Amino acid sequence: MAPALKIGIAGLGTVGASLARILSNRHNKLADICGRPIEIVAVSARDASKDRGIDLSAIQFYTNPVEMAESADIDVFVELIGGQGDPAFSAVRSALSRGCHAVTANKALLARHGVELAGIAEENGVLLNFEAAVAGGIPVIKAMRESLTGNSISRVFGILNGTCNYILTEMERNGLSFEDCLKEAQRLGYAEADPTFDVEGNDTAHKLALLTSLAFGTQIAADDIYLEGISNISIEDIRAADDLGFRIKLLGVAQKTESGIEQRVHPTMVPKNSVIAQVDGVTNAVAIDADVLGELMMSGPGAGGDATASAVMGDIADIAKSRPGHQHGPVLGRPAVHLDPYARARMRSHEGGYFIRLTVEDKAGVFASLAKHMSDNDISLESIVQRPGKNGANGNGDKKTVILVTHATMEDSVRKAVEAISSDGYLLDKPQVIRIERPDS
Ligand code: HSE
């Protein structure tokens, strides 16, 4: 059997502890599969004395991950620290620069520095694997980087944040408030250290930026993503969606259009009978529209220690199976120096269906005015529903809720129509606009 693959793990939180358990419980099986044992020889964490249920006695302990990356006798640096900057960035850069492979679950780091780190890995002939960075345990990176090479991809979209999907599912199932569902998601260990990263869409955006690069062969452009989170989705929206045959999901969507590539993260209405609408709870899903293959859809556990550790383990095993002198494939599917610049499509040019919920004064002329603004902006309506407003007991209040669903139209037209409606003076609340996405399946 070949000599052991020596790994150093930086960060011993939930994922690190789960990874250490897999490596210890399946040591012999992994050695058989990979043709050599995998040994943890170094770890770094803030506190050496904390009981993590792992025996660290024979392992070199570092409090500084950069020092471990620079000097430990390791073949693979496993980065589970998180965060887009230091120490994660310096540690991974140092490890790659001195010819160590790296495995990371850190989407924020790659969204910011992925192209630079990919370039360093490729110059040094080592791997930078990041399956766990997107959609937890779902093997979407391998699928896009390797299996779909013969396809052109026109759209990739998905539920990429378990916390948001859990919250939206619980709100719908149990009629609970957004805040209560968030607290429960945190208690269950799904949420990021700062949950605003989950609920405001930043975590989804980081993952989407990586998928966009893999799908379209472009440089990672995490700052060029249209972003809306779920914190202003109310039970009223969820019920209205249900009545109209939709569910609300936080989707990340990257799509090729005539004017460039759209990257957008926003609450989205998807038809109840679509496959993605059935994806509930912390589960993630990714759909890829590929020309030769058709629509590929993968779903599975997207958050939590074990799901993430499963993907990290697969990445380490890939390295263990490769042999010295073996030529490694490019990190982002094509060599970092050949990635195209990202050409952003303007959000105002986005074309799709829209749900518009308005709280209006119940008085003559309101409907006529709504209809006029829609017509002035060339918006064709698929349906119009009027309901009693919140204070409209028995339907006799002075408020009404009006829900408009449009046929496919330009975002620019919708924004102009909503601005014009807002300036007419009969709106009693902020208008709610939610985009509709229609998956192929
Ligand atoms: N907070 C993330 C989620 C964890 O909820 O999906 C994985 O990135």
Side-chain angles (χ1 to χ4, degrees):
M1 195 172 276
L5 183 83
K6 291 175 281 183
I7 70 170
I9 303 176
L12 283 181
T14 335
V15 181
S18 174
L19 177 64
R21 270 195 304 278
I22 297 173
L23 283 164
S24 137
N25 296 345
R26 297 165 198 226
H27 187 267
N28 295 343
K29 184 183 171 213
L30 287 165
D32 284 345
I33 292 171
C34 301
R36 58 170 149 167
I38 301 170
E39 307 286 357
I40 307 176
V41 300
V43 293
S44 93
R46 281 202 205 111
D47 179 3
S49 60
K50 189 172 166 188
D51 180 12
R52 300 173 173 92
I54 318 164
D55 179 11
L56 298 176
S57 52
I59 298 172
Q60 204 177 356
F61 193 93
Y62 292 83
T63 45
N64 181 349
V66 182
E67 197 187 322
M68 183 174 93
E70 282 169 350
S71 59
D73 178 21
I74 52 175
D75 304 305
V76 186
F77 181 81
V78 181
E79 187 273 304
L80 302 174
I81 308 162
Q84 64 172 17
D86 283 337
F89 175 52
S90 294
V92 173
R93 187 176 51 186
S94 298
L96 295 171
S97 302
R98 75 173 175 114
C100 283
H101 302 285
V103 172
T104 180
N106 188 339
K107 55 263 165 181
L109 170 70
L110 294 177
R112 180 68 46 212
H113 299 292
V115 175
E116 179 185 347
L117 293 173
I120 298 172
E122 286 159 24
E123 276 163 27
N124 287 279
V126 290
L127 283 164
L128 169 58
N129 285 347
F130 58 99
E131 188 62 73
V134 180
I138 303 175
V140 63
I141 303 299
K142 281 196 200 356
M144 294 185 76
R145 190 165 59 183
E146 291 152 32
S147 316
L148 297 179
T149 306
N151 288 260
S152 285
I153 294 172
S154 52
R155 177 174 66 162
V156 52
F157 63 99
I159 296 173
L160 302 174
N161 184 270
T163 301
C164 288
N165 207 46
Y166 174 86
I167 291 172
L168 292 169
T169 305
E170 290 298 297
M171 285 174 77
E172 183 186 349
R173 272 191 196 151
N174 304 320
L176 295 174
S177 72
F178 168 82
E179 288 76 16
D180 285 346
C181 297
L182 172 60
K183 273 191 208 130
E184 188 58 9
Q186 287 177 289
R187 194 187 68 74
L188 293 167
Y190 302 145
E192 297 296 299
D194 177 354
T196 55
F197 264 65
D198 293 294
V199 299
E200 297 308 339
N202 308 77
D203 177 75
T204 300
H206 288 147
K207 295 166 182 169
L208 182 68
L210 303 180
L211 294 181
T212 306
S213 172
L214 288 165
F216 304 115
T218 52
Q219 286 165 4
I220 299 166
D223 292 333
D224 286 327
I225 298 183
Y226 176 82
L227 197 58
E228 259 178 49
I230 62 164
S231 56
N232 74 343
I233 296 294
S234 65
I235 288 284
E236 225 183 331
D237 294 320
I238 288 183
R239 291 200 180 121
D242 186 49
D243 288 348
L244 292 163
F246 292 103
R247 289 219 161 95
I248 301 179
K249 300 288 180 190
L250 183 76
L251 291 192
V253 186
Q255 185 172 12
K256 214 173 221 172
T257 72
E258 277 172 13
S259 58
I261 296 171
E262 282 182 4
Q263 289 190 107
R264 47 195 170 86
V265 172
H266 49 71
T268 312
M269 292 210 176
V270 286
K272 266 188 206 173
N273 59 4
S274 61
V275 179
I276 205 152
Q278 320 300 321
V279 175
D280 282 336
V282 72
T283 306
N284 281 195
V286 186
I288 302 162
D289 295 339
D291 61 349
V292 182
L293 178 67
E295 190 186 271
L296 170 68
M297 170 93 174
M298 292 187 273
S299 67
D306 286 347
T308 311
S310 161
V312 171
M313 187 61 247
D315 278 350
I316 296 171
D318 280 350
I319 296 168
K321 288 174 191 168
S322 72
R323 290 291 175 264
H326 169 85
Q327 203 60 40
H328 296 300
V331 174
L332 293 164
R334 64 165 84 176
V337 289
H338 293 157
L339 291 166
D340 293 329
Y342 170 78
R344 179 180 190 163
R346 287 169 66 241
M347 196 57 201
R348 278 190 176 259
S349 311
H350 169 67
E351 207 177 325
Y354 288 79
F355 160 100
I356 304 165
R357 180 171 61 77
L358 305 168
T359 308
V360 300
E361 279 179 57
D362 188 6
K363 64 176 189 189
V366 169
F367 237 101
S369 151
L370 295 178
K372 180 176 182 308
H373 290 307
M374 291 293 140
S375 153
D376 285 353
N377 287 286
D378 206 19
I379 298 171
S380 164
L381 294 173
E382 184 178 300
S383 73
I384 307 172
V385 181
Q386 178 170 293
R387 305 205 169 113
K390 274 186 209 151
N391 67 347
N394 306 321
N396 295 326
D398 50 7
K399 262 188 188 187
K400 287 278 187 278
T401 296
V402 177
I403 292 166
L404 310 168
V405 175
T406 75
H407 285 298
T409 185
M410 292 275 279
E411 171 119 358
D412 191 48
S413 306
V414 173
R415 289 196 198 178
K416 282 183 180 147
V418 171
E419 273 161 33
I421 290 166
S422 302
S423 59
D424 272 356
Y426 49 74
L427 285 190
L428 297 173
D429 214 342
K430 204 171 158 282
Q432 175 70 294
V433 177
I434 302 178
R435 295 168 192 84
I436 297 171
E437 194 82 16
R438 297 194 185 269
D440 291 341
S441 58

